[in-house]
Amino acid sequence: MAIAILALSLGTLYQAVSGATRNVRSDEKYAYGVELAKSLVSDNSRVSSAGVNKRGETAGGFVWQVASQPLSAEAPGFAQKALRDLKVSVDWQDGQKRRGVVLQSVVEIYAQ
């Protein structure tokens, strides 16, 4: 009887540890995706009046895209001609699920 209880306890403990490991791995990927998106926003803090539309993939399988468009006319208080909307998306595979993060910002247009 004691051996059966020990076996059940060890099985439960093993499942808990493997679940925690999976969560840590998932959190690390999410943190990397957010940091990648932040760095892409920073790299594109000023864009040409033509805008930007770039995409790529990291060695770790993170697929990213940076795109800008004219600032919406509904954004009060902004000089629409000097600013653009910037959208950065980063996607990655996490086990069976596709995960991603999207950051949006308003960036300045530089003179060419």
Side-chain angles (χ1 to χ4, degrees), residues 32-76:
Y32 182 85
V34 169
E35 289 303 317
L36 176 59
K38 284 180 174 180
S39 71
L40 289 166
V41 168
S42 179
D43 287 348
N44 294 281
S45 62
R46 297 182 72 215
V47 299
S48 72
S49 58
V52 63
N53 192 2
K54 300 187 278 188
R55 64 181 61 229
E57 184 172 351
T58 68
F62 288 80
V63 179
W64 56 269
Q65 181 175 2
V66 178
S68 69
Q69 61 185 19
L71 190 64
S72 168
E74 299 158 359

Side-chain angles (χ1 to χ4, degrees), residues 51-109:
V52 63
N53 192 2
K54 300 187 278 188
R55 64 181 61 229
E57 184 172 351
T58 68
F62 288 80
V63 179
W64 56 269
Q65 181 175 2
V66 178
S68 69
Q69 61 185 19
L71 190 64
S72 168
E74 299 158 359
F78 290 111
Q80 279 85 8
K81 294 184 181 196
L83 301 173
R84 291 184 71 84
D85 280 325
L86 183 74
K87 180 179 178 182
V88 175
S89 61
V90 177
D91 297 310
W92 63 93
Q93 194 69 34
D94 189 10
Q96 298 295 323
K97 295 182 180 178
R98 190 85 183 148
R99 306 226 187 244
V101 64
V102 175
L103 298 182
Q104 291 185 280
S105 185
V106 176
V107 296
E108 181 181 16
I109 296 173

